[in-house]
Amino acid sequence: MTDSTSLLITGANVIDATGERLADVRIADGTITDVATGLTAADGEHHIDAAGLTLTPGFVDLHTHLREPGKEEAETIETGSRAAAKGGYTAVVAMPNTDPTQDSVSVVDFVRRQGQLAGLCDVYPSGSITVGRQGTQLTPFGELSEAGVKLFTDDGNGVQDALLMRRAFEYAKGLGVTMAQHCEVEQLTGGAVMHEGDCCSHLGLPGWPSLAEELMVHRDIELVRLTGAPAHFLHLSTMKSVELVRAAKADGLPVTAEATPHHISLTDELLRSYSAIYKVNPPLRTMDDVTAVREGLRDGTIDAVATDHAPHVPESKEQPLDQAPPGMLGLETALGVCIAHLDMPLVDIVAALSWKPAAIAGIDDVHGRPVAVGEPANLTLFDADVSWEVVPAELASKSRNTPFVGVPLRGRTTHTILDGTLTVENGTPTR
Ligand code: DOR
Ligand code: ZN
């Protein structure tokens, strides 16, 4: 049975957590109603000929800065959701470093509601670990958890106080929520603009040592060992961080980790341009680190690719390196960077973009689901082979600070389906 609201996708290479096969997929009223071969479109049914394309569960970004409330000149929940949809995402976790901070139920509810109004992607607000992200007083985890928050982070900063972090893990354990850490010991990174290493010494710029990340990864692994609470490590960037998480997982500790598209594709050498486009926290590292992070993704030490999509207005990024804010866009280029730079089976790349982050975010009842009858229709259709280059003026994001101009990308979303509705069709957002 079909009706005028139903959608038929034929001939796609379907990839999900159960494997890979050629199939036709019918969607009606937000749900997958048929998965078979040889399906034909009924009269009036919307039909997408997906021969040569790959159909997967929608991507889930664990790390999106949507900037609203507070910095709407750089991004809004609507423009960021549109960028997400264009990149193949059906869900994003919104980082809490907004103004006001996402440290209360009212702000978290506002962010979720704006996401629903935009209707381009499911927006799951994170909550901050400390009030105002000031690092001194824990937020009301219980209330925020009741309001649906599953991931807590002070992202933009790490929680510096070890005792406060211990208490955060202890509360998290009781509530069944996850602490996500931006690992940076700030005493070691004051004034830093790039990775501390040969390139940085040569340029005479203040450096951000790998150790500043690794010390906090180590501290939190030991706090996980002590408390039994889960921890998620945001944007890991160094070889030693990957080794620490690998060892923690071997010990059976409940830790997960993510890496960004820029840390698997770009190095600190780009800072020789003195362009703040390449300034990011944690900073771009060396080729050895890039190789180690890729290997971490390949062997599953790092569970997910997360964008750290961090929009900034052009004026701020045109400032000198020491004054420009850190951060780069990521949502619209993530898939293209992953396929171009990760020597991994496509199913493992999609796992890192979809069902693994969905599980970490605690939304795997709705996102990252198998492509099967009865499942919610949150899906992405992409061309895994197309080579392309990003054109900043064509980005859906309100900002333009992408470091991937001139970088060959491979693989691009053609259609994104949220709750059975096309949010992107033939590469163009529908709303
Ligand atoms: O580069 C970054 N930009 N790293 C962060 O942790 C925060 C982010 C931002 O909000 O701009
Ligand atoms: Zn961060």
Side-chain angles (χ1 to χ4, degrees):
M1 284 294 287
T2 61
D3 61 41
S4 59
T5 64
S6 81
L7 172 64
L8 180 68
I9 303 168
T10 57
N13 177 38
V14 175
I15 295 182
D16 62 16
T18 70
E20 188 165 352
R21 67 271 178 202
L22 279 178
D24 305 329
V25 175
R26 178 168 279 129
I27 293 159
D29 299 324
T31 303
I32 297 173
T33 56
D34 224 341
V35 180
T37 51
L39 297 181
T40 52
D43 272 356
E45 190 175 36
H46 194 105
H47 175 217
I48 298 169
D49 175 0
L53 301 179
T54 302
L55 180 68
T56 74
F59 303 153
V60 174
D61 191 25
L62 287 168
H63 200 139
T64 304
H65 295 276
L66 291 172
R67 300 295 188 226
E68 185 182 352
K71 275 237 165 60
E72 292 83 353
E73 65 276 20
E75 197 81 286
T76 64
I77 290 168
E78 183 185 333
T79 60
S81 302
R82 189 170 293 119
K86 248 187 119 185
Y89 290 88
T90 53
V92 301
V93 177
M95 290 293 106
N97 57 339
T98 48
D99 186 10
T101 305
Q102 287 167 208
D103 60 7
S104 67
V105 171
S106 61
V107 178
V108 156
D109 281 348
F110 168 81
V111 170
R112 190 185 296 105
R113 210 165 41 241
Q114 292 301 110
Q116 285 162 354
L117 284 175
L120 284 152
C121 138
D122 285 343
V123 174
Y124 295 92
S126 64
S128 63
I129 298 174
T130 68
V131 175
R133 296 173 50 259
Q134 294 297 303
T136 51
Q137 188 190 339
L138 297 179
T139 54
F141 291 175
E143 281 173 32
L144 289 163
S145 150
E146 257 175 51
V149 174
K150 303 213 164 105
L151 220 59
F152 288 78
T153 176
D154 269 5
D155 185 59
N157 298 97
V159 175
Q160 305 296 307
D161 183 329
L163 174 60
L164 197 69
M165 200 58 221
R166 174 186 178 170
R167 296 283 175 252
F169 278 123
E170 285 167 348
Y171 284 121
K173 170 114 205 243
L175 290 166
V177 296
T178 299
M179 293 293 131
Q181 193 72 276
H182 165 118
C183 293
E184 174 180 358
V185 172
E186 287 168 9
Q187 283 155 329
L188 293 169
T189 62
V193 300
M194 67 175 292
H195 170 65
E196 180 180 296
D198 291 347
C199 187
C200 167
S201 316
H202 187 251
L203 297 173
L205 294 169
W208 204 123
S210 297
L211 182 66
E213 174 175 306
E214 294 150 359
L215 273 179
M216 196 170 283
V217 172
H218 180 73
R219 181 199 73 182
D220 281 8
I221 286 171
E222 294 311 314
L223 288 174
V224 167
R225 205 186 304 275
L226 181 73
T227 61
H232 176 68
F233 293 107
L234 302 168
H235 46 46
L236 290 187
S237 67
T238 83
M239 188 182 332
K240 189 78 189 288
S241 293
V242 179
E243 283 167 14
L244 286 165
V245 172
R246 187 176 287 123
K249 285 191 168 184
D251 287 349
L253 297 177
V255 295
T256 55
E258 63 180 46
T260 69
H262 44 274
H263 288 117
I264 58 171
S265 58
L266 308 176
T267 72
D268 59 344
E269 293 289 327
L270 289 163
L271 274 303
R272 290 188 188 280
S273 66
Y274 290 97
S275 167
I277 281 288
Y278 302 113
K279 182 178 177 184
V280 65
N281 260 0
L284 300 178
R285 306 274 185 196
T286 67
M287 198 59 219
D288 283 348
D289 294 304
V290 169
T291 304
V293 173
R294 287 177 181 162
E295 182 53 28
L297 275 163
R298 219 188 49 74
D299 74 6
T301 298
I302 299 178
D303 305 84
V305 170
T307 67
D308 197 0
H309 179 84
H312 292 289
V313 292
E315 304 81 80
S316 68
K317 279 295 202 178
E318 281 155 12
Q319 297 179 97
L321 268 180
D322 59 335
Q323 284 156 46
M328 14 182 93
L329 301 184
L331 288 167
E332 296 174 70
T333 44
L335 176 67
V337 173
C338 287
I339 297 180
H341 289 274
L342 291 175
D343 186 17
M344 283 162 57
L346 190 55
V347 59
D348 293 341
I349 291 178
V350 177
L353 286 166
S354 179
W355 52 91
K356 286 178 153 192
I360 293 167
I363 56 172
D364 50 340
D365 53 338
V366 183
H367 292 276
R369 304 290 307 163
V371 180
V373 172
E375 295 289 355
N378 294 314
L379 301 163
T380 298
L381 191 61
F382 60 87
D383 182 339
D385 297 316
V386 64
S387 295
W388 63 288
E389 280 194 19
V390 63
V391 178
E394 291 173 3
L395 292 168
S397 170
K398 204 166 180 179
S399 288
R400 294 288 172 261
N401 54 309
T402 172
F404 294 110
V405 174
V407 177
L409 305 179
R410 185 147 184 221
R412 193 170 193 179
T413 296
T414 60
H415 297 70
T416 308
I417 298 163
L418 176 68
D419 198 21
T421 299
L422 283 162
T423 53
V424 173
E425 188 166 18
N426 296 315
T428 306
T430 57
R431 52 177 80 167

